[in-house]
Coordinates of all heavy atoms in Angstrom, one line a residue:
A17 N -32.8 3.6 5.6 CA -33.1 3.3 4.2 C -33.0 4.5 3.3 O -32.5 4.5 2.2 CB -34.5 2.7 4.1
A18 N -33.5 5.8 3.8 CA -33.4 7.0 3.0 C -32.0 7.5 2.9 O -31.8 8.4 2.1 CB -34.4 8.0 3.6
D19 N -31.1 7.1 3.7 CA -29.7 7.6 3.7 C -28.8 6.8 2.8 O -27.6 7.2 2.6 CB -29.1 7.6 5.1 CG -29.9 8.5 6.1 OD1 -30.9 9.1 5.7 OD2 -29.6 8.4 7.3
I20 N -29.2 5.7 2.4 CA -28.3 4.8 1.6 C -28.7 4.8 0.2 O -29.8 4.4 -0.2 CB -28.3 3.4 2.2 CG1 -27.9 3.3 3.6 CG2 -27.4 2.4 1.4 CD1 -26.5 3.8 4.0
E21 N -27.8 5.3 -0.7 CA -28.1 5.3 -2.2 C -28.1 4.0 -2.8 O -29.0 3.7 -3.6 CB -27.0 6.2 -2.8 CG -27.3 6.9 -4.0 CD -26.2 7.9 -4.4 OE1 -26.2 8.9 -3.8 OE2 -25.3 7.4 -5.2
R22 N -27.1 3.1 -2.5 CA -27.1 1.8 -3.0 C -26.3 0.9 -2.1 O -25.3 1.4 -1.5 CB -26.8 1.7 -4.4 CG -25.3 1.9 -4.7 CD -25.0 2.2 -6.2 NE -23.8 3.1 -6.3 CZ -22.6 2.5 -6.2 NH1 -22.3 1.3 -6.1 NH2 -21.5 3.4 -6.3
V23 N -26.6 -0.4 -2.2 CA -25.7 -1.3 -1.3 C -24.5 -1.8 -2.1 O -24.6 -2.0 -3.3 CB -26.6 -2.6 -0.9 CG1 -25.7 -3.6 -0.3 CG2 -27.8 -2.1 -0.1
V24 N -23.4 -1.7 -1.5 CA -22.1 -2.1 -2.1 C -21.7 -3.5 -1.9 O -21.3 -4.3 -2.7 CB -20.9 -1.2 -1.7 CG1 -19.5 -1.8 -2.0 CG2 -21.2 0.3 -2.3
A25 N -22.0 -3.9 -0.6 CA -21.8 -5.4 -0.2 C -22.8 -5.7 0.9 O -22.9 -5.1 1.8 CB -20.4 -5.6 0.4
S26 N -23.7 -6.8 0.5 CA -24.7 -7.1 1.5 C -24.1 -8.0 2.7 O -22.9 -8.3 2.6 CB -25.7 -8.0 0.8 OG -25.1 -9.3 0.4
A27 N -24.9 -8.1 3.6 CA -24.3 -8.8 4.8 C -23.9 -10.2 4.4 O -22.8 -10.7 4.9 CB -25.4 -8.9 6.0
D28 N -24.7 -10.9 3.6 CA -24.3 -12.2 3.2 C -23.0 -12.3 2.4 O -22.1 -13.1 2.6 CB -25.4 -12.9 2.4 CG -26.6 -13.3 3.2 OD1 -26.4 -13.3 4.4 OD2 -27.6 -13.6 2.6
Q29 N -22.8 -11.2 1.5 CA -21.6 -11.1 0.7 C -20.4 -10.9 1.6 O -19.4 -11.5 1.4 CB -21.7 -10.1 -0.4 CG -22.7 -10.4 -1.5 CD -23.0 -9.2 -2.4 OE1 -23.0 -8.1 -1.9 NE2 -23.2 -9.4 -3.7
I30 N -20.6 -10.0 2.6 CA -19.4 -9.8 3.4 C -19.0 -11.0 4.2 O -17.8 -11.3 4.3 CB -19.9 -8.6 4.5 CG1 -20.1 -7.3 3.7 CG2 -18.8 -8.5 5.6 CD1 -20.7 -6.3 4.6
Q31 N -20.0 -11.7 4.8 CA -19.6 -12.9 5.6 C -19.0 -14.0 4.7 O -18.1 -14.7 5.2 CB -20.9 -13.4 6.3 CG -21.5 -12.5 7.4 CD -20.4 -12.0 8.4 OE1 -19.6 -12.8 8.7 NE2 -20.5 -10.8 8.8
A32 N -19.5 -14.2 3.5 CA -18.9 -15.1 2.6 C -17.4 -14.8 2.3 O -16.5 -15.7 2.3 CB -19.8 -15.3 1.3

Side-chain angles (χ1 to χ4, degrees):
D19 300 351
I20 303 296
E21 206 170 277
R22 70 192 154 82
V23 173
V24 166
S26 69
D28 288 347
Q29 287 170 328
I30 293 171
Q31 294 308 322

